[in-house]
Amino acid sequence: MDSLKELLAMKLPVLSFWSSMPEAASSYASEFDSLYYFLLWTGLGLFLLIVVPMCWFVMKYHRRDEHQKALSQRDYNYKLEVAWTFLPFIYLAVCFFWGFIGFLDVYTVPVNAKNLRVIGQKWNWTIQYPDEEISVSGQGVVVGVPVDENIIFTMSSQDVLHSFFLPNFRIKQDVLPGRYTTLWLKADKVGEFPIFCAEYCGDNHSNMLAKLKVMPRVEYDAWVDGIKNADISLSPKELGAKLYQTKVCVTCHTTDGTTKIGPSFKGLYGSIAELTSGKKVKVDDSFIKEHILTPSKTPIKGYPQVMPPFQGQLSEVEINALIEFIKSFK
Amino acid sequence: MSSNTNYINAKTGFASWALTIDHKRIGLMYLVSIMTFFLVAGVFALLLRTELLTPANTIMDAKRYNQLFTLHGAIMVFLVIIPGIPASLGNFMLPLMLGAKDVAFPRINLLSYYIYLFGAILALSSLWVGAIDTGWTFYTPYSTTTDGGVVLMVTAAFVLGFSGIFTGLNFIVTTHKLRAPGMTWFRMPLFIWGIYATAVIQIMATPVLAITLLLLIIERTVGIGIFDPVLGGDPVLFQHFFWFYSHPAVYIMILPGMAVVSEIVTVFSQKRIFGYKQIAFSSIAIAVLSFLVWGHHMFVSGQSELVGMIFSVLTFLVAIPSGIKIFNWLATMYKGSISLKTPMLWALGFIFLFTIGGITGIFLGTLSVDVHLHDTYFVVAHFHYVMVGGTFMAFMGGLFYWWPKITGKMYSEFWGAASTLMVVIGFNLTFFVQFIMGSQGMPRRYYSYLDQFQIYHQISTVGSYILGLGFVMAIWTLLRALKTGKPATKNPWHAATLEWTHTEVMPIEHNFHEQPTVNEGPYEYH
């Protein structure tokens, strides 16, 4: 996590000019910034238009002795009232149309694009690459994409609301359970950019981070190959250790015997677990597999029932790897 | 008749308060309750800010942090700002300003206070079951699946809604039926217009919240699928329902603040309010439009783009009546005789901070800009500029303005001015940097954050301490006046409204010795 934060730090400005936006990584983001700065400067003008007269009047018409009367009791001016009722319309209409045009850009999905699937889950992102037949997952996961290509994210949530937020692209979209939402981008800069979860989703909401790694096409292809080969060459225990991180088992389960939210893996294999029904079961290969896939079927006494089901998310190879990993902590 | 009797010393004993139907005493009981919850939720805010000094665990873990920001928000919104000005100052002043003996339904007024108290107890008892961690917005399906006393807290909000409905109903009927002879609609003080518009929103919008919260309770307890997709519901439906109330609620919070400022600006300029009808009708315009803008909370929620466009247009429209008020206040000050007593300082602080809140609202109403800023600290800052910089500044201004009438004592001008200054400085330190953080992508409701945001968080935290101290100083200044303050005169600010011109130093139990009659506008300074 620390190295992730260091990398991200380079991409967001540190106490630079007070109004500066994070580095723009797409042509849309640059267009967005024109509008943002338009609002900023006209807003500053509007602010001065109100505060300067206010301070001026306070100084000029300050009551100097107790019996000083107002210089005028005039309480109406037709032209002024019309002016400050209708002139703002023009300004606001400009803001509206400019913002609306940008909004259409965000939500008009291009036809020719690479499709990625995004799954939000407490508290990590899974990105599936249908064309490349790979997927990446976990807290702080690296999401590789090729530069200068349209990318569409088709997104859904496994549990509660999340929101997929890429500040460097000025885009964000809520990720919902039971419905698909889409977001697209075309990066024109190579580099690594943060992805935040922007919709509050519980304890580890602020750790539900990822980073978008924008690469030239050749590098991207190599990155995909690297992911494909990585899993095959690992020993079961190594793969288990990797899944322990990426599937965020680490959030609740320790390996050193201390109890976090769930039981520690140390000495777990072969022990006797008591279910909430009072039934006692031996923690063997079958039990671990069943509990990982559908934890609600075998709730264990004394622990909160918060483990998400991994049914359909893990291959047989990966389950075996996790069992071997757990088994290794005697 | 002795001029020494007033609504405080007319009767004594616990029952004379607990069973009172005097709107002034009920207003005071509300005031004490609201201020107590304000201090509690304020301390929560300081704890949150202290936690955010570092991105790691500073003084609490993530779970506790999430519970605390939920409680801070829920208490401040439902127990402090929504009832805030109307239930305390409104209750006290509305009959006095109208020239009435009491509100139209004094017993319902007392009942609404006890409903408020019951709701508050329910809200706090949720702590016992387990503090909730949903955020004050209770978004589903998180709120239907998390642990803790969600049902109790939601029931509390449901119950508190009824308190607001009763108070609103009372104010509407009082305004229609109990105006003094000669007080036409356009001779009413603008405070009444603001409170009246607020009451209209309250009785029309609150039932929607009640229904929504009831549906949420049903889903959590009986498991009928309304919002949770696992049960066949739609989570976005909850957001529509919730904001259909909660956006009008934002105007329930700000309209009374504007109403107070309208009074203070004219009195402390000793000049007729500029554009009386424009200010009055802009309150009504805000009340109507407030029902049509809820979707601007949901530009990135997955609602259709067409709907987003319509809500953006309507949102910009609501900016116009707010602008009208500000410009009219400025025109009122022009060629006035401006006195910088403490209430006026709070009112000027209001204009300063609310303007920033309003302008940043334009950013958020602009569709594409909102996509980037939504759910970041920019929104947090905007909301606080409007609700604290706006409503709460006005609330304090109103307290300092009417304190001599409520308590018969003058406070220290020095400490009053000093506390105003502290609040304005502390407030800007706390929240201005949050605009910067937000524009740079710092999401809200984050327990931890990336290192480059730390300096902003630290500035914000230091600011919050100054802000907290400023509020404590202000409240202390008011309380100290009870003991050591000089006796007030009947009309220390030379105001022209009935609560100053036709009452004793402190009003008697039935407000006026004889029925006042009105034959000119509320702001004629002779």
Short mmCIF file of all heavy atoms in Angstrom, two decimals, chain B residues 113-131:
data_model
loop_
_atom_site.label_atom_id
_atom_site.label_comp_id
_atom_site.label_asym_id
_atom_site.label_seq_id
_atom_site.Cartn_x
_atom_site.Cartn_y
_atom_site.Cartn_z
N TYR B 113 -42.80 19.85 20.94
CA TYR B 113 -41.53 19.83 21.68
C TYR B 113 -41.27 18.45 22.27
O TYR B 113 -40.16 17.93 22.20
CB TYR B 113 -41.52 20.88 22.80
CG TYR B 113 -40.25 20.77 23.62
CD1 TYR B 113 -39.04 21.21 23.11
CD2 TYR B 113 -40.25 20.16 24.88
CE1 TYR B 113 -37.85 21.07 23.82
CE2 TYR B 113 -39.07 20.01 25.59
CZ TYR B 113 -37.88 20.47 25.07
OH TYR B 113 -36.71 20.30 25.76
N TYR B 114 -42.30 17.85 22.84
CA TYR B 114 -42.08 16.53 23.44
C TYR B 114 -41.81 15.46 22.40
O TYR B 114 -41.07 14.51 22.63
CB TYR B 114 -43.25 16.15 24.36
CG TYR B 114 -43.11 16.84 25.69
CD1 TYR B 114 -43.97 17.86 26.07
CD2 TYR B 114 -42.06 16.51 26.54
CE1 TYR B 114 -43.81 18.52 27.29
CE2 TYR B 114 -41.88 17.16 27.75
CZ TYR B 114 -42.76 18.17 28.11
OH TYR B 114 -42.57 18.82 29.30
N ILE B 115 -42.41 15.61 21.22
CA ILE B 115 -42.10 14.67 20.14
C ILE B 115 -40.63 14.83 19.74
O ILE B 115 -39.93 13.84 19.53
CB ILE B 115 -43.03 14.90 18.94
CG1 ILE B 115 -44.45 14.52 19.31
CG2 ILE B 115 -42.57 14.09 17.73
CD1 ILE B 115 -45.47 14.82 18.23
N TYR B 116 -40.19 16.08 19.70
CA TYR B 116 -38.78 16.35 19.40
C TYR B 116 -37.88 15.65 20.43
O TYR B 116 -36.91 14.97 20.08
CB TYR B 116 -38.54 17.86 19.41
CG TYR B 116 -37.08 18.27 19.36
CD1 TYR B 116 -36.38 18.30 18.16
CD2 TYR B 116 -36.41 18.63 20.53
CE1 TYR B 116 -35.06 18.68 18.11
CE2 TYR B 116 -35.07 19.01 20.49
CZ TYR B 116 -34.39 19.03 19.28
OH TYR B 116 -33.08 19.40 19.24
N LEU B 117 -38.26 15.81 21.70
CA LEU B 117 -37.45 15.23 22.77
C LEU B 117 -37.43 13.70 22.67
O LEU B 117 -36.39 13.06 22.81
CB LEU B 117 -38.04 15.65 24.12
CG LEU B 117 -37.05 15.89 25.25
CD1 LEU B 117 -36.00 16.90 24.86
CD2 LEU B 117 -37.79 16.33 26.49
N PHE B 118 -38.61 13.13 22.39
CA PHE B 118 -38.72 11.69 22.24
C PHE B 118 -37.85 11.22 21.07
O PHE B 118 -37.11 10.23 21.18
CB PHE B 118 -40.20 11.32 22.01
CG PHE B 118 -40.43 9.85 21.78
CD1 PHE B 118 -40.04 8.91 22.73
CD2 PHE B 118 -41.06 9.42 20.62
CE1 PHE B 118 -40.26 7.56 22.51
CE2 PHE B 118 -41.28 8.07 20.40
CZ PHE B 118 -40.88 7.14 21.34
N GLY B 119 -37.92 11.93 19.96
CA GLY B 119 -37.10 11.60 18.80
C GLY B 119 -35.62 11.66 19.14
O GLY B 119 -34.84 10.79 18.74
N ALA B 120 -35.25 12.68 19.91
CA ALA B 120 -33.85 12.83 20.29
C ALA B 120 -33.40 11.66 21.15
O ALA B 120 -32.30 11.11 20.96
CB ALA B 120 -33.65 14.15 21.03
N ILE B 121 -34.27 11.25 22.08
CA ILE B 121 -33.92 10.12 22.95
C ILE B 121 -33.79 8.84 22.12
O ILE B 121 -32.85 8.06 22.29
CB ILE B 121 -34.97 9.96 24.07
CG1 ILE B 121 -34.85 11.13 25.04
CG2 ILE B 121 -34.77 8.64 24.81
CD1 ILE B 121 -36.03 11.29 25.97
N LEU B 122 -34.71 8.65 21.18
CA LEU B 122 -34.62 7.49 20.29
C LEU B 122 -33.29 7.50 19.53
O LEU B 122 -32.61 6.47 19.44
CB LEU B 122 -35.75 7.52 19.27
CG LEU B 122 -37.08 6.88 19.64
CD1 LEU B 122 -38.06 7.02 18.49
CD2 LEU B 122 -36.86 5.40 19.95
N ALA B 123 -32.95 8.67 19.00
CA ALA B 123 -31.71 8.77 18.22
C ALA B 123 -30.51 8.39 19.07
O ALA B 123 -29.64 7.63 18.64
CB ALA B 123 -31.55 10.18 17.67
N LEU B 124 -30.48 8.91 20.31
CA LEU B 124 -29.33 8.62 21.17
C LEU B 124 -29.35 7.17 21.65
O LEU B 124 -28.31 6.57 21.86
CB LEU B 124 -29.30 9.58 22.35
CG LEU B 124 -29.09 11.05 21.96
CD1 LEU B 124 -29.04 11.94 23.18
CD2 LEU B 124 -27.80 11.21 21.14
N SER B 125 -30.55 6.60 21.81
CA SER B 125 -30.60 5.22 22.29
C SER B 125 -30.07 4.25 21.22
O SER B 125 -29.72 3.13 21.54
CB SER B 125 -32.02 4.84 22.70
OG SER B 125 -32.88 4.95 21.60
N SER B 126 -30.02 4.71 19.96
CA SER B 126 -29.44 3.84 18.94
C SER B 126 -27.97 3.56 19.25
O SER B 126 -27.41 2.56 18.81
CB SER B 126 -29.57 4.46 17.55
OG SER B 126 -28.67 5.52 17.39
N LEU B 127 -27.35 4.45 20.04
CA LEU B 127 -25.96 4.22 20.44
C LEU B 127 -25.83 2.97 21.29
O LEU B 127 -24.81 2.29 21.29
CB LEU B 127 -25.45 5.42 21.25
CG LEU B 127 -25.24 6.71 20.47
CD1 LEU B 127 -24.86 7.83 21.40
CD2 LEU B 127 -24.17 6.50 19.42
N TRP B 128 -26.87 2.70 22.02
CA TRP B 128 -26.86 1.58 22.94
C TRP B 128 -26.90 0.26 22.20
O TRP B 128 -26.21 -0.69 22.54
CB TRP B 128 -28.10 1.71 23.84
CG TRP B 128 -27.77 1.56 25.28
CD1 TRP B 128 -26.79 2.22 25.96
CD2 TRP B 128 -28.40 0.68 26.20
NE1 TRP B 128 -26.79 1.81 27.26
CE2 TRP B 128 -27.76 0.87 27.44
CE3 TRP B 128 -29.44 -0.22 26.10
CZ2 TRP B 128 -28.13 0.17 28.57
CZ3 TRP B 128 -29.81 -0.92 27.23
CH2 TRP B 128 -29.16 -0.73 28.46
N VAL B 129 -27.73 0.23 21.16
CA VAL B 129 -27.83 -0.98 20.34
C VAL B 129 -26.55 -1.17 19.53
O VAL B 129 -26.15 -2.27 19.21
CB VAL B 129 -29.03 -0.87 19.38
CG1 VAL B 129 -29.15 -2.10 18.52
CG2 VAL B 129 -30.31 -0.63 20.17
N GLY B 130 -25.90 -0.06 19.23
CA GLY B 130 -24.72 -0.10 18.38
C GLY B 130 -24.79 1.11 17.48
O GLY B 130 -25.76 1.26 16.74
N ALA B 131 -23.76 1.96 17.56
CA ALA B 131 -23.79 3.20 16.78
C ALA B 131 -23.87 2.86 15.29
O ALA B 131 -23.24 1.91 14.84
CB ALA B 131 -22.54 4.02 17.07
#
